[in-house]
Amino acid sequence: MQDINPEHIRVDPYLSPLFDEKGITADILRLDLLHPVVSGNKWFKLRYYIEQAQEQNKKSLVTFGGAWSNHIHATAAAGKMAGLKTIGIIRGEAPAGLSTTLLQAVEMGMQLYFISREEYRQKKLPDQFDLSDAQLIPEGGYSLTGARGAATIIGLINPDDYTHICCAVGSGTMMAGLMNAFHGKGLVTGISALKNNHSLETAVGELLEQPHPAPVIIHDYHFGGFAKHKRPLLEFMNALYHQTRIPTDIVYTGKLCFAVNDLAGKNYFPPGSKILLIHSGGLQGNRSLPNGSLIF
Ligand SMILES: *Cc1c(COP(=O)(O)O)cnc(C)c1O
């Protein structure tokens, strides 16, 4: 498998007549270019777990997720590259046919265990599990270790170049890391991928390392809920690709870009704002769409 290479990440200008009209500029940090399979922010959240596992001679990574989880997929790939076994604890009974995400995780060597939704809620591990040589990673990498890894995303840019950073929010780990690293430089705005998850502000707040104003999370761009999408979102993603050649995903980054455009139209960003959007990857999730939905 190809190596993970942060040097593939670059900043692309995101040009649009609307941004010109509003007197603002936007760039997109292309974490999706990190690797064809391990996309985006997931590797940043995993990086210190993998280092820790290697330092402590752990043999495997154990983590949790659903059938379409980018985190499961990325853990399988990153573990394989690091020479660690990977074990995925998957929410729900084993289906007759695995999702593309899980099939690929298995191809990369991940062992899957399906547990009932109830057991999953309690993060109950199957009884036969011996964790002595395993590195446990919380669902979505949500932890201080995950946030510290995500904070290193800021090392890829010059923070003085921006007044605003906008990112998608799932567990809030990445947003917390970005806030920790961009502290005092400008405003981090999170766009929630979930419907009405108003515990996210607290979730992000708990991973902040210094006193901070409350996290700013916008809840108006979920398009029906997590992994739900509507025709206008697909149309927007196709138009964005047509205009910029940047592919986005239906769960996170499509909604993020849609939101930044919509917010710009509503004068959320004062004139002179220099916005950085974090393209956190996740493109593998688009495989859940019927063929032909997207032009990329
Ligand atoms: C997981 C994920 C996110 C959300 O990151 P959190 O740290 O869980 O908030 C955003 N974008 C993509 C592409 C992801 O896969």
Side-chain angles (χ1 to χ4, degrees):
M1 205 186 319
Q2 207 171 312
D3 273 350
I4 288 183
N5 189 349
E7 282 173 21
H8 291 162
I9 297 170
R10 59 166 197 262
V11 172
D12 281 343
Y14 177 8
L15 305 173
S16 112
L18 171 67
F19 298 160
D20 290 347
E21 181 196 318
K22 300 291 178 184
I24 63 181
T25 61
D27 285 338
I28 302 193
L29 180 62
R30 300 285 309 277
L31 301 185
D32 58 311
L33 298 174
L34 177 70
H35 187 272
V37 179
V38 188
S39 77
N41 75 345
K42 295 295 180 279
W43 179 73
F44 286 90
K45 294 196 287 182
L46 288 170
R47 67 188 300 179
Y48 291 141
Y49 279 109
I50 291 173
E51 273 185 34
Q52 212 168 294
Q54 288 174 327
E55 275 164 23
Q56 297 171 5
N57 281 320
K58 300 270 163 102
K59 301 280 181 296
S60 58
L61 305 174
V62 178
T63 197
F64 302 85
W68 293 100
S69 162
N70 290 335
H71 170 69
I72 285 287
H73 193 265
T75 304
K80 179 177 172 154
M81 264 175 272
L84 294 162
K85 282 202 302 191
T86 54
I87 296 165
I89 313 290
I90 310 301
R91 183 181 53 230
E93 305 303 335
L98 291 182
S99 66
T100 331
T101 304
L102 293 185
L103 275 177
Q104 289 189 343
V106 169
E107 271 166 32
M108 294 186 279
M110 183 176 259
Q111 259 174 284
L112 303 180
Y113 289 88
F114 291 86
I115 60 177
S116 69
R117 286 172 185 270
E118 184 49 40
E119 288 169 318
Y120 190 89
R121 243 189 307 280
Q122 301 163 11
K123 298 286 174 295
K124 186 176 175 311
L125 289 169
D127 290 336
Q128 72 270 36
F129 259 65
D130 171 14
L131 288 178
S132 55
D133 60 2
Q135 172 73 55
L136 210 54
I137 304 174
E139 181 179 29
Y142 178 83
S143 59
L144 273 179
T145 306
R148 284 183 189 148
T152 66
I153 292 170
I154 297 294
L156 300 166
I157 56 143
N158 178 354
D160 295 325
D161 289 347
Y162 300 100
T163 59
H164 293 73
I165 290 183
C166 299
C167 70
V169 181
S171 68
T173 316
M174 169 170 64
M175 181 173 183
L178 295 172
M179 287 180 72
N180 286 331
F182 196 57
H183 186 60
K185 303 282 184 188
L187 179 67
V188 177
T189 300
I191 306 299
S192 174
L194 303 117
K195 187 174 178 177
N196 297 336
N197 184 352
H198 293 285
S199 59
L200 280 176
E201 282 81 356
T202 312
V204 172
E206 283 173 359
L207 299 182
L208 296 178
E209 306 227 34
Q210 57 292 77
H212 255 289
V216 176
I217 301 178
I218 298 183
H219 296 270
D220 302 334
Y221 298 101
H222 55 74
F223 286 89
F226 187 66
K228 300 263 169 46
H229 55 86
K230 299 206 161 121
R231 185 127 292 278
L233 177 63
L234 296 179
E235 281 165 9
F236 173 85
M237 288 163 60
N238 280 333
L240 179 69
Y241 183 78
H242 190 69
Q243 186 193 344
T244 63
R245 299 283 136 192
I246 299 178
T248 48
D249 81 287
I250 47 159
V251 182
Y252 296 104
T253 57
K255 293 176 184 179
L256 167 69
C257 294
F258 185 102
V260 168
N261 261 275
D262 196 58
L263 291 169
K266 294 174 174 159
N267 302 316
Y268 177 83
F269 305 102
S273 295
K274 292 181 268 183
I275 306 160
L276 180 70
L277 291 82
I278 308 292
H279 190 320
S280 35
L283 298 173
Q284 66 91 17
N286 287 346
R287 289 187 216 162
S288 64
L289 289 170
N291 270 344
S293 307
L294 295 169
I295 59 172
F296 49 91

Coordinates of all heavy atoms in Angstrom, one line a residue, residues 81-172:
M81 N -0.4 -0.2 7.6 CA 0.9 0.4 7.2 C 1.9 0.5 8.4 O 3.1 0.4 8.2 CB 0.6 1.9 6.8 CG 0.5 2.0 5.3 SD 0.0 3.6 4.8 CE -1.7 3.4 4.9
A82 N 1.4 0.5 9.6 CA 2.2 0.6 10.8 C 2.6 -0.9 11.2 O 3.4 -1.0 12.2 CB 1.6 1.3 11.9
G83 N 2.1 -1.9 10.6 CA 2.4 -3.3 11.0 C 1.7 -3.7 12.2 O 2.2 -4.5 13.0
L84 N 0.5 -3.1 12.5 CA -0.2 -3.5 13.7 C -1.5 -4.2 13.2 O -2.1 -3.8 12.2 CB -0.6 -2.2 14.4 CG 0.5 -1.4 15.1 CD1 0.1 0.0 15.4 CD2 1.0 -2.1 16.3
K85 N -1.9 -5.2 14.0 CA -3.2 -5.8 13.7 C -4.3 -4.8 14.0 O -4.1 -4.0 14.9 CB -3.4 -7.1 14.6 CG -2.6 -8.3 14.2 CD -3.2 -9.5 14.7 CE -3.3 -9.5 16.3 NZ -3.7 -10.8 16.9
T86 N -5.4 -5.0 13.3 CA -6.5 -4.1 13.7 C -7.8 -4.9 13.9 O -8.1 -5.8 13.2 CB -6.8 -3.0 12.5 OG1 -7.0 -3.7 11.3 CG2 -5.6 -2.1 12.4
I87 N -8.6 -4.4 14.9 CA -9.8 -5.0 15.2 C -10.9 -4.0 15.3 O -10.7 -3.0 16.0 CB -9.7 -5.8 16.6 CG1 -8.6 -6.9 16.4 CG2 -11.0 -6.3 17.1 CD1 -8.1 -7.4 17.8
G88 N -12.0 -4.2 14.5 CA -13.1 -3.2 14.5 C -14.3 -3.8 15.2 O -14.7 -4.9 14.9
I89 N -14.8 -3.1 16.2 CA -16.0 -3.5 16.9 C -17.1 -2.7 16.2 O -17.2 -1.5 16.3 CB -16.0 -3.1 18.4 CG1 -14.6 -3.6 19.0 CG2 -17.2 -3.7 19.1 CD1 -14.4 -5.0 19.2
I90 N -18.0 -3.4 15.6 CA -19.0 -2.8 14.7 C -20.4 -2.8 15.3 O -20.8 -3.8 15.8 CB -19.0 -3.5 13.3 CG1 -17.6 -3.6 12.8 CG2 -19.9 -2.7 12.3 CD1 -16.8 -2.3 12.6
R91 N -21.0 -1.6 15.2 CA -22.4 -1.5 15.8 C -23.4 -2.3 15.0 O -23.5 -2.1 13.8 CB -22.7 0.0 15.8 CG -24.1 0.3 16.4 CD -24.4 1.8 16.4 NE -24.3 2.3 15.0 CZ -23.5 3.4 14.7 NH1 -22.9 4.1 15.6 NH2 -23.5 3.7 13.4
G92 N -24.2 -3.1 15.7 CA -25.3 -3.8 15.0 C -24.9 -5.3 14.7 O -23.8 -5.6 14.6
E93 N -26.0 -6.1 14.4 CA -25.7 -7.5 14.0 C -25.0 -7.5 12.7 O -25.2 -6.6 11.9 CB -27.1 -8.2 14.0 CG -28.0 -8.2 15.2 CD -27.2 -8.7 16.5 OE1 -26.3 -9.5 16.3 OE2 -27.6 -8.2 17.6
A94 N -24.3 -8.6 12.5 CA -23.6 -8.8 11.2 C -24.6 -8.8 10.0 O -25.5 -9.6 10.1 CB -22.7 -10.0 11.2
P95 N -24.5 -8.0 9.0 CA -25.4 -8.0 7.9 C -25.1 -9.2 7.0 O -24.0 -9.7 7.0 CB -25.1 -6.7 7.2 CG -23.7 -6.4 7.6 CD -23.4 -7.0 8.9
A96 N -26.0 -9.5 6.1 CA -25.8 -10.5 5.1 C -24.6 -10.1 4.2 O -23.7 -10.9 3.9 CB -27.1 -10.8 4.3
G97 N -24.6 -8.9 3.8 CA -23.5 -8.4 2.9 C -22.9 -7.2 3.6 O -23.6 -6.3 4.1
L98 N -21.6 -7.2 3.6 CA -20.9 -6.1 4.2 C -20.9 -4.8 3.4 O -20.9 -4.9 2.2 CB -19.4 -6.5 4.5 CG -19.1 -7.5 5.5 CD1 -17.6 -7.7 5.6 CD2 -19.6 -7.2 6.8
S99 N -20.9 -3.7 4.0 CA -20.8 -2.4 3.3 C -19.4 -2.3 2.6 O -18.5 -3.0 3.0 CB -20.9 -1.2 4.3 OG -19.8 -1.2 5.2
T100 N -19.3 -1.5 1.6 CA -18.0 -1.3 0.9 C -16.9 -0.9 1.9 O -15.8 -1.4 1.8 CB -18.1 -0.2 -0.1 OG1 -19.4 -0.1 -0.6 CG2 -17.1 -0.4 -1.3
T101 N -17.2 -0.1 2.9 CA -16.3 0.4 3.9 C -15.7 -0.8 4.6 O -14.5 -1.0 4.8 CB -17.0 1.3 4.9 OG1 -17.5 2.4 4.1 CG2 -16.0 1.9 5.9
L102 N -16.7 -1.7 5.1 CA -16.2 -2.8 5.9 C -15.5 -3.9 5.1 O -14.5 -4.5 5.5 CB -17.4 -3.5 6.6 CG -18.1 -2.6 7.7 CD1 -19.1 -3.3 8.4 CD2 -17.0 -2.0 8.7
L103 N -16.0 -4.1 3.8 CA -15.2 -5.0 2.9 C -13.8 -4.6 2.8 O -12.9 -5.4 2.9 CB -15.9 -5.0 1.6 CG -17.1 -6.0 1.4 CD1 -17.7 -5.8 0.0 CD2 -16.7 -7.4 1.6
Q104 N -13.6 -3.3 2.6 CA -12.2 -2.8 2.4 C -11.4 -2.9 3.7 O -10.2 -3.2 3.6 CB -12.2 -1.4 1.9 CG -12.7 -1.3 0.4 CD -12.5 0.1 -0.2 OE1 -12.3 1.0 0.6 NE2 -12.6 0.1 -1.5
A105 N -12.1 -2.7 4.8 CA -11.4 -2.8 6.1 C -10.9 -4.2 6.2 O -9.8 -4.5 6.6 CB -12.3 -2.4 7.2
V106 N -11.8 -5.2 5.9 CA -11.4 -6.6 6.0 C -10.2 -6.9 5.0 O -9.3 -7.6 5.3 CB -12.6 -7.5 5.7 CG1 -12.2 -9.0 5.5 CG2 -13.6 -7.4 6.8
E107 N -10.3 -6.4 3.8 CA -9.2 -6.6 2.8 C -7.9 -6.1 3.4 O -6.8 -6.6 3.1 CB -9.5 -5.9 1.5 CG -10.3 -6.7 0.5 CD -10.9 -5.9 -0.6 OE1 -10.2 -4.8 -1.0 OE2 -12.0 -6.2 -1.1
M108 N -8.0 -5.0 4.1 CA -6.7 -4.5 4.7 C -6.3 -5.2 6.0 O -5.4 -4.8 6.6 CB -6.9 -3.0 5.0 CG -7.1 -2.1 3.7 SD -7.2 -0.4 4.0 CE -8.9 -0.1 4.5
G109 N -7.0 -6.3 6.3 CA -6.6 -7.1 7.4 C -7.4 -6.9 8.7 O -7.1 -7.6 9.7
M110 N -8.4 -6.1 8.7 CA -9.1 -5.8 10.0 C -10.0 -7.0 10.3 O -10.6 -7.6 9.4 CB -9.9 -4.5 9.9 CG -10.6 -4.2 11.2 SD -11.5 -2.6 11.1 CE -10.3 -1.5 12.0
Q111 N -10.0 -7.4 11.6 CA -10.9 -8.4 12.1 C -12.1 -7.6 12.6 O -12.0 -6.7 13.3 CB -10.3 -9.1 13.3 CG -9.7 -10.4 13.0 CD -9.1 -10.9 14.3 OE1 -8.0 -10.4 14.7 NE2 -9.7 -11.8 15.0
L112 N -13.3 -8.1 12.2 CA -14.5 -7.4 12.6 C -15.3 -8.2 13.7 O -15.4 -9.4 13.5 CB -15.5 -7.1 11.4 CG -14.9 -6.3 10.2 CD1 -15.9 -6.2 9.2 CD2 -14.4 -5.0 10.7
Y113 N -15.8 -7.5 14.6 CA -16.8 -8.1 15.6 C -18.0 -7.3 15.6 O -17.9 -6.1 15.8 CB -16.2 -8.2 17.0 CG -15.0 -9.1 17.1 CD1 -13.7 -8.8 16.8 CD2 -15.3 -10.5 17.5 CE1 -12.7 -9.7 16.9 CE2 -14.3 -11.4 17.6 CZ -13.0 -11.0 17.3 OH -12.0 -11.9 17.4
F114 N -19.1 -7.9 15.4 CA -20.4 -7.2 15.4 C -21.0 -7.4 16.8 O -21.1 -8.5 17.3 CB -21.3 -7.7 14.3 CG -20.9 -7.4 13.0 CD1 -20.0 -8.2 12.3 CD2 -21.3 -6.3 12.3 CE1 -19.5 -7.9 11.0 CE2 -20.8 -6.0 11.0 CZ -19.9 -6.8 10.4
I115 N -21.4 -6.3 17.4 CA -22.1 -6.4 18.7 C -23.5 -5.6 18.6 O -23.6 -4.7 17.7 CB -21.3 -5.9 19.8 CG1 -20.9 -4.4 19.7 CG2 -20.0 -6.7 20.0 CD1 -20.1 -3.8 20.9
S116 N -24.4 -6.0 19.4 CA -25.7 -5.4 19.3 C -25.6 -3.9 19.7 O -24.7 -3.5 20.3 CB -26.7 -6.1 20.3 OG -26.3 -5.7 21.6
R117 N -26.7 -3.2 19.2 CA -26.6 -1.7 19.5 C -26.6 -1.4 20.9 O -25.9 -0.4 21.3 CB -27.9 -1.1 18.8 CG -27.7 -1.0 17.3 CD -28.9 -0.6 16.5 NE -28.5 -0.7 15.1 CZ -28.0 0.2 14.4 NH1 -27.7 1.4 14.9 NH2 -27.6 0.0 13.1
E118 N -27.2 -2.3 21.7 CA -27.2 -2.1 23.2 C -25.8 -2.2 23.7 O -25.3 -1.4 24.5 CB -28.2 -3.0 23.8 CG -28.4 -2.8 25.3 CD -28.6 -1.4 25.7 OE1 -29.4 -0.7 25.0 OE2 -28.1 -0.9 26.8
E119 N -25.1 -3.3 23.3 CA -23.8 -3.6 23.8 C -22.8 -2.5 23.3 O -21.9 -2.0 24.0 CB -23.2 -4.9 23.3 CG -23.9 -6.1 23.9 CD -23.5 -7.4 23.2 OE1 -23.5 -7.5 22.0 OE2 -23.3 -8.4 23.9
Y120 N -23.1 -2.0 22.1 CA -22.3 -1.0 21.5 C -22.4 0.3 22.3 O -21.4 1.0 22.6 CB -22.7 -0.7 20.0 CG -21.7 0.2 19.3 CD1 -20.6 -0.4 18.6 CD2 -21.9 1.6 19.3 CE1 -19.7 0.5 18.0 CE2 -21.0 2.4 18.7 CZ -19.9 1.8 18.0 OH -19.0 2.6 17.3
R121 N -23.6 0.6 22.7 CA -23.8 1.9 23.5 C -23.0 1.8 24.7 O -22.4 2.8 25.2 CB -25.3 2.0 23.9 CG -25.9 3.3 23.3 CD -27.3 3.5 23.8 NE -28.2 2.4 23.7 CZ -28.9 2.0 22.6 NH1 -28.8 2.7 21.5 NH2 -29.7 1.0 22.6
Q122 N -22.8 0.6 25.3 CA -22.0 0.5 26.5 C -20.5 0.2 26.2 O -19.7 0.0 27.1 CB -22.5 -0.7 27.4 CG -24.0 -0.5 27.8 CD -24.6 -1.8 28.3 OE1 -23.9 -2.8 28.5 NE2 -25.9 -1.9 28.4
K123 N -20.2 0.2 24.9 CA -18.9 -0.1 24.5 C -18.4 -1.4 25.1 O -17.3 -1.5 25.7 CB -17.9 1.1 24.7 CG -18.3 2.4 24.0 CD -17.9 2.3 22.5 CE -18.4 3.5 21.7 NZ -19.9 3.7 21.7
K124 N -19.2 -2.4 25.1 CA -18.9 -3.7 25.7 C -18.1 -4.5 24.8 O -18.6 -4.9 23.7 CB -20.2 -4.4 26.1 CG -20.0 -5.6 26.9 CD -21.4 -6.2 27.4 CE -21.2 -7.5 28.1 NZ -20.4 -8.5 27.4
L125 N -16.9 -4.9 25.2 CA -16.1 -5.7 24.3 C -16.5 -7.2 24.4 O -16.9 -7.6 25.5 CB -14.6 -5.6 24.7 CG -14.0 -4.2 24.3 CD1 -12.7 -4.0 25.0 CD2 -13.9 -4.0 22.8
P126 N -16.4 -8.0 23.3 CA -16.7 -9.4 23.4 C -15.8 -10.0 24.5 O -14.6 -9.6 24.7 CB -16.3 -9.9 22.0 CG -16.4 -8.7 21.1 CD -16.1 -7.5 22.0
D127 N -16.3 -11.1 25.2 CA -15.7 -11.6 26.3 C -14.3 -12.2 26.1 O -13.4 -12.1 26.9 CB -16.5 -12.8 26.9 CG -17.8 -12.2 27.6 OD1 -17.7 -11.0 28.0 OD2 -18.8 -12.9 27.7
Q128 N -14.1 -12.7 24.9 CA -12.8 -13.4 24.6 C -11.7 -12.4 24.4 O -10.5 -12.8 24.2 CB -13.0 -14.3 23.3 CG -13.1 -13.6 22.0 CD -14.5 -13.3 21.6 OE1 -15.4 -13.0 22.5 NE2 -14.8 -13.4 20.3
F129 N -12.0 -11.1 24.5 CA -10.9 -10.2 24.2 C -9.9 -10.0 25.2 O -10.1 -9.8 26.4 CB -11.6 -8.8 24.0 CG -11.7 -8.4 22.6 CD1 -12.6 -9.2 21.8 CD2 -11.0 -7.4 22.0 CE1 -12.7 -8.9 20.5 CE2 -11.2 -7.1 20.7 CZ -12.0 -7.9 19.9
D130 N -8.6 -10.1 24.8 CA -7.5 -9.9 25.7 C -6.9 -8.6 25.2 O -6.4 -8.5 24.1 CB -6.5 -11.1 25.5 CG -5.2 -10.8 26.2 OD1 -5.1 -9.8 27.0 OD2 -4.2 -11.5 25.9
L131 N -6.9 -7.6 26.1 CA -6.5 -6.3 25.7 C -5.1 -6.0 26.1 O -4.6 -4.9 25.9 CB -7.4 -5.2 26.3 CG -8.8 -5.2 25.7 CD1 -9.7 -4.2 26.4 CD2 -8.7 -4.9 24.2
S132 N -4.4 -7.0 26.6 CA -3.0 -6.7 27.2 C -2.1 -6.2 26.2 O -1.3 -5.3 26.5 CB -2.5 -7.9 27.9 OG -2.5 -9.0 27.0
D133 N -2.2 -6.7 24.9 CA -1.2 -6.1 23.9 C -2.0 -5.3 22.9 O -1.6 -5.2 21.7 CB -0.3 -7.2 23.3 CG -1.1 -8.2 22.6 OD1 -2.3 -8.1 22.6 OD2 -0.5 -9.2 22.1
A134 N -3.1 -4.7 23.3 CA -3.9 -3.9 22.3 C -3.9 -2.5 22.7 O -4.0 -2.1 23.9 CB -5.3 -4.5 22.3
Q135 N -3.9 -1.6 21.7 CA -4.1 -0.2 22.0 C -5.6 0.1 21.7 O -6.0 -0.1 20.5 CB -3.2 0.6 21.0 CG -3.4 2.1 21.0 CD -2.9 2.8 22.3 OE1 -1.8 2.6 22.6 NE2 -3.8 3.5 23.0
L136 N -6.3 0.5 22.7 CA -7.7 0.8 22.5 C -7.9 2.3 22.0 O -7.2 3.2 22.6 CB -8.4 0.7 23.9 CG -9.8 0.2 23.9 CD1 -10.1 -1.0 23.1 CD2 -10.3 0.0 25.4
I137 N -8.7 2.5 21.0 CA -8.9 3.9 20.5 C -10.4 4.1 20.6 O -11.2 3.3 20.1 CB -8.5 4.0 19.1 CG1 -7.0 3.5 18.9 CG2 -8.7 5.4 18.5 CD1 -6.5 3.5 17.5
P138 N -10.8 5.2 21.3 CA -12.2 5.5 21.4 C -12.9 5.7 20.0 O -12.2 6.0 19.0 CB -12.3 6.7 22.2 CG -11.0 7.1 22.6 CD -10.0 6.2 21.9
E139 N -14.2 5.5 19.9 CA -14.9 5.8 18.7 C -14.6 7.1 18.2 O -14.6 8.1 18.9 CB -16.4 5.7 19.1 CG -17.4 5.9 17.9 CD -18.8 5.8 18.4 OE1 -19.1 6.1 19.5 OE2 -19.6 5.4 17.5
G140 N -14.3 7.2 16.9 CA -14.1 8.5 16.2 C -12.8 9.1 16.7 O -12.4 10.3 16.4
G141 N -12.0 8.4 17.6 CA -10.7 9.0 18.1 C -11.0 10.1 19.1 O -10.1 10.9 19.4
Y142 N -12.2 10.2 19.6 CA -12.6 11.3 20.5 C -11.9 11.1 21.9 O -12.2 10.3 22.7 CB -14.1 11.3 20.8 CG -14.5 12.4 21.8 CD1 -14.7 13.7 21.4 CD2 -14.6 12.1 23.1 CE1 -15.0 14.7 22.3 CE2 -14.9 13.1 24.1 CZ -15.1 14.4 23.6 OH -15.4 15.4 24.5
S143 N -10.9 12.0 22.1 CA -10.0 12.0 23.3 C -9.0 13.1 23.2 O -8.9 13.7 22.1 CB -9.2 10.7 23.3 OG -8.4 10.6 22.1
L144 N -8.3 13.4 24.2 CA -7.3 14.4 24.2 C -6.2 14.0 23.2 O -5.6 14.8 22.5 CB -6.7 14.6 25.6 CG -7.4 15.6 26.5 CD1 -6.7 15.6 27.8 CD2 -7.4 17.0 25.8
T145 N -5.9 12.6 23.2 CA -4.8 12.2 22.3 C -5.3 12.4 20.8 O -4.4 12.9 20.0 CB -4.6 10.6 22.5 OG1 -4.4 10.4 23.9 CG2 -3.5 10.1 21.7
G146 N -6.5 12.2 20.5 CA -7.0 12.4 19.2 C -7.0 13.9 18.8 O -6.5 14.3 17.8
A147 N -7.4 14.7 19.8 CA -7.4 16.2 19.6 C -6.0 16.7 19.4 O -5.7 17.6 18.6 CB -8.1 16.9 20.7
R148 N -5.0 16.2 20.2 CA -3.6 16.6 20.0 C -3.1 16.3 18.6 O -2.3 17.0 18.0 CB -2.8 16.0 21.1 CG -3.0 16.7 22.4 CD -2.1 16.2 23.5 NE -2.6 16.8 24.8 CZ -2.6 16.3 26.0 NH1 -2.1 15.1 26.1 NH2 -3.1 16.9 27.0
G149 N -3.5 15.1 18.1 CA -3.1 14.7 16.8 C -3.7 15.7 15.8 O -3.0 16.2 14.9
A150 N -5.0 16.0 16.0 CA -5.7 16.9 15.0 C -5.1 18.3 15.1 O -5.1 19.0 14.1 CB -7.2 17.0 15.4
A151 N -4.6 18.7 16.3 CA -4.0 20.0 16.4 C -2.8 20.2 15.4 O -2.5 21.3 15.0 CB -3.5 20.3 17.8
T152 N -2.1 19.1 15.1 CA -1.0 19.2 14.2 C -1.4 19.5 12.8 O -0.5 19.8 12.0 CB -0.1 17.9 14.2 OG1 -0.8 16.8 13.7 CG2 0.3 17.5 15.6
I153 N -2.7 19.5 12.5 CA -3.1 20.0 11.2 C -2.7 21.4 10.9 O -2.3 21.8 9.8 CB -4.7 19.8 11.0 CG1 -5.1 18.3 11.0 CG2 -5.2 20.6 9.8 CD1 -6.6 18.1 11.2
I154 N -2.7 22.2 12.0 CA -2.4 23.6 11.9 C -0.9 23.8 11.5 O -0.5 24.8 10.9 CB -2.7 24.4 13.2 CG1 -4.2 24.3 13.5 CG2 -2.2 25.8 13.2 CD1 -5.1 25.1 12.5
G155 N -0.1 22.8 11.8 CA 1.3 22.9 11.4 C 1.5 22.9 9.9 O 2.6 23.1 9.4
L156 N 0.5 22.5 9.2 CA 0.6 22.5 7.7 C 0.4 23.8 7.1 O 0.7 24.0 5.9 CB -0.5 21.5 7.2 CG -0.5 20.1 7.6 CD1 -1.8 19.4 7.3 CD2 0.7 19.3 7.0
I157 N 0.0 24.8 7.8 CA -0.3 26.1 7.3 C 0.4 27.2 8.1 O 0.9 26.9 9.2 CB -1.8 26.4 7.3 CG1 -2.4 26.3 8.7 CG2 -2.5 25.5 6.3 CD1 -3.4 27.3 9.0
N158 N 0.3 28.4 7.7 CA 0.7 29.5 8.5 C -0.5 30.2 9.1 O -1.3 30.8 8.4 CB 1.5 30.6 7.6 CG 1.9 31.8 8.5 OD1 1.5 31.9 9.7 ND2 2.7 32.7 7.9
P159 N -0.7 30.0 10.4 CA -2.0 30.4 11.0 C -2.2 31.9 10.8 O -3.4 32.4 10.8 CB -1.9 30.0 12.4 CG -0.5 29.6 12.7 CD 0.1 29.3 11.4
D160 N -1.1 32.7 10.7 CA -1.3 34.1 10.5 C -2.0 34.5 9.2 O -2.4 35.7 9.0 CB 0.1 34.8 10.6 CG 0.6 34.7 12.0 OD1 -0.1 34.7 13.0 OD2 1.9 34.5 12.1
D161 N -2.0 33.6 8.3 CA -2.6 33.9 7.0 C -4.2 33.9 7.0 O -4.8 34.2 6.0 CB -2.2 32.8 5.9 CG -0.8 32.9 5.5 OD1 -0.2 33.9 5.8 OD2 -0.3 31.9 4.9
Y162 N -4.8 33.5 8.2 CA -6.2 33.3 8.2 C -6.9 34.0 9.4 O -6.3 34.1 10.5 CB -6.6 31.8 8.2 CG -6.0 31.1 7.0 CD1 -4.8 30.4 7.0 CD2 -6.7 31.3 5.7 CE1 -4.3 29.8 5.8 CE2 -6.2 30.7 4.6 CZ -5.0 30.0 4.6 OH -4.5 29.4 3.5
T163 N -8.1 34.4 9.2 CA -8.9 35.0 10.3 C -9.9 34.0 10.7 O -10.5 34.1 11.8 CB -9.6 36.3 9.8 OG1 -10.5 35.9 8.7 CG2 -8.7 37.4 9.4
H164 N -10.3 33.0 9.8 CA -11.3 32.1 10.2 C -10.9 30.7 9.7 O -10.4 30.6 8.6 CB -12.7 32.4 9.4 CG -13.3 33.6 9.9 ND1 -12.9 34.9 9.6 CD2 -14.4 33.8 10.6 CE1 -13.6 35.8 10.1 NE2 -14.6 35.2 10.8
I165 N -11.2 29.7 10.5 CA -11.1 28.3 10.0 C -12.4 27.7 10.2 O -13.1 27.8 11.2 CB -10.0 27.5 10.9 CG1 -8.6 28.1 10.6 CG2 -10.1 26.0 10.6 CD1 -7.5 27.3 11.3
C166 N -12.9 27.0 9.1 CA -14.2 26.3 9.1 C -13.9 24.8 8.9 O -13.2 24.4 8.0 CB -15.1 26.8 8.0 SG -15.4 28.6 8.2
C167 N -14.6 24.0 9.7 CA -14.4 22.5 9.6 C -15.7 21.8 9.9 O -16.6 22.4 10.5 CB -13.3 22.1 10.6 SG -13.9 22.1 12.3
A168 N -15.8 20.6 9.4 CA -17.0 19.8 9.7 C -16.8 19.2 11.1 O -15.7 19.0 11.5 CB -17.1 18.7 8.6
V169 N -17.9 18.9 11.7 CA -17.9 18.3 13.0 C -18.7 17.0 13.1 O -19.9 17.0 12.7 CB -18.5 19.3 14.1 CG1 -18.5 18.7 15.5 CG2 -17.8 20.7 14.0
G170 N -18.0 16.0 13.6 CA -18.7 14.7 13.9 C -18.7 14.4 15.4 O -19.6 14.7 16.1
S171 N -17.5 14.0 15.8 CA -17.4 13.8 17.3 C -16.9 15.1 17.9 O -17.0 15.3 19.1 CB -16.4 12.7 17.6 OG -15.1 13.1 17.2
G172 N -16.3 16.0 17.1 CA -15.8 17.3 17.7 C -14.3 17.2 18.0 O -13.7 18.3 18.4

